[in-house]
Amino acid sequence: MKVKKSKKIKSLSDHEKLINLIAVQGEKDISKLLSSIDRVFIELFNLKESELPWLNTNTDKEWDDFMRKSRLAFYRIYFELIQKERVLH
């Protein structure tokens, strides 16, 4: 059964993986959360909004892939941090 799940996850796009990870956390306002992640990229890496591939369709494929994977990785780190701080009763 794990193999089946693993193949299903591998077939998802980076954006779909990100949305699924956010859904697992139970976040209600996904667009607000994604916007806050975008703000981190803009401020931390000194990017312009037009340089974010999900806001600009005229970007290089390699840049698009890199940024989507970075966005997913950034949220995954944040998600793991939240999981460590969570107390189960």
Side-chain angles (χ1 to χ4, degrees):
M1 186 146 181
K2 266 191 170 181
V3 174
K4 193 176 198 181
K5 186 176 182 179
S6 178
K7 286 181 183 177
K8 182 179 178 184
I9 291 172
K10 287 181 181 180
S11 68
L12 296 175
S13 71
D14 291 327
H15 182 70
E16 291 168 329
K17 290 176 188 175
L18 179 63
I19 297 302
N20 287 343
L21 188 59
I22 293 170
V24 167
Q25 185 189 353
E27 184 68 36
K28 299 212 186 298
D29 193 355
I30 293 174
S31 63
K32 182 179 177 183
L33 181 61
L34 292 176
S35 294
S36 66
I37 294 171
D38 292 350
R39 295 278 9 126
V40 170
F41 276 112
I42 290 168
E43 292 173 16
L44 187 64
F45 300 115
N46 200 24
L47 296 174
K48 298 175 187 167
E49 278 190 26
S50 62
E51 294 175 311
L52 298 175
W54 42 90
L55 299 178
N56 182 3
T57 57
N58 296 329
T59 58
D60 180 49
K61 172 107 173 85
E62 290 179 14
W63 175 250
D64 183 60
D65 291 344
F66 171 75
M67 287 301 292
R68 289 184 188 275
K69 287 183 189 320
S70 299
R71 191 184 202 196
L72 176 60
F74 181 81
Y75 187 75
R76 179 64 192 251
I77 292 167
Y78 174 71
F79 178 76
E80 293 296 327
L81 181 66
I82 290 172
Q83 292 295 89
K84 286 183 180 180
E85 292 177 358
R86 193 177 286 180
V87 176
L88 300 176
H89 297 281

